[in-house]
Amino acid sequence: MRRSVPWWVLFSSVCAPVLLVAGWAISAVLQGPEYDPASRTISTLAARGADAYWVMTPALVALGACHVVTACGLRSAAPPGRVALAGGGVSAILLALFPAPSSGGSLDHGAVVAVGFLLLAVWPILAVRRGAEGRVGSTSERRQAAVPPVRTAPWGLRSGPSLMATALMWIGGGWFLMALFVHDTAGAAERVITFAQSLWPLVVVVSCVRQTDGDEEPR
């Protein structure tokens, strides 16, 4: 049986959230008790001069590389979505070139973060395969009715779940801005959003694998 996604795409999509969480968890320990993960962002851990710079920065680069690899092999997704996912991965890699300053803000860093968030927020809906939302009967029913088979889009590439994922990511972006400027809980909000964005490619890939297994019927 030929799978709709190569094994290395499944591997890269699994590694993405694992690398992200492991990176910020280990970096927070290295940074010491003065680092408050609820109020301080992940970018602080990757700032030049930070004790955890050498851990968090490679973790972000590896995360971005995983997104690029996943986008290259996720042939079931529509091309615009794959391009957006790859672009989000490249943005994560570019954070190594434009790290957050040790204090204050950075226009370059902020622009890279914003572009990366935008691309990873819209890629779910851009990846939807149009015109493959349903299936016409079972295999035997289609044969009896002489109806050609209609391939159903994997769950993660259907318009409903993809629109929900994109909407929740945009809501999360609004939450982050409020947490940053009002509630001083930007670190917590950023972790939830970035984890969700790193996890969705895995959800899509698993749905493609499950559909392939489910479509294999005995003759």
Side-chain angles (χ1 to χ4, degrees), residues 1-2 211-219:
M1 180 180 65
R2 183 178 181 181
Q211 189 211 46
T212 301
D213 294 340
D215 284 349
E216 186 73 8
E217 301 179 12
R219 296 182 179 180

Side-chain angles (χ1 to χ4, degrees), residues 32-175:
E34 71 278 2
Y35 178 79
D36 179 15
S39 60
R40 303 184 66 181
T41 65
I42 301 170
S43 296
T44 305
L45 297 171
R48 292 196 183 278
D51 294 337
Y53 173 81
W54 62 276
V55 173
M56 195 66 241
T57 299
L60 291 173
V61 172
L63 169 68
C66 286
H67 286 333
V68 173
V69 170
T70 301
C72 289
L74 192 57
R75 293 185 292 270
S76 298
R82 295 171 64 188
V83 171
L85 176 59
V90 171
S91 296
I93 295 173
L94 288 176
L95 289 176
L97 299 178
F98 302 100
S102 56
S103 61
S106 168
L107 180 60
D108 292 338
H109 176 80
V112 173
V113 170
V115 170
F117 168 80
L118 173 64
L119 291 172
L120 292 178
V122 300
W123 95 266
I125 197 63
L126 293 179
V128 170
R129 280 290 185 181
R130 310 296 177 184
E133 295 291 330
R135 182 185 295 278
V136 182
S138 65
T139 302
S140 60
E141 290 171 344
R142 290 197 303 268
R143 287 173 180 169
Q144 293 174 4
V147 176
V150 178
R151 183 170 179 81
T152 308
W155 182 87
L157 294 174
R158 297 178 189 174
S159 57
S162 299
L163 181 60
M164 180 180 65
T166 293
L168 288 176
M169 289 177 191
W170 279 108
I171 292 172
W175 173 34

Side-chain angles (χ1 to χ4, degrees), residues 179-197:
L180 180 64
F181 295 110
V182 179
H183 299 301
D184 195 28
T185 55
E190 183 186 38
R191 280 163 173 76
V192 172
I193 299 165
T194 54
F195 178 76
Q197 291 188 325

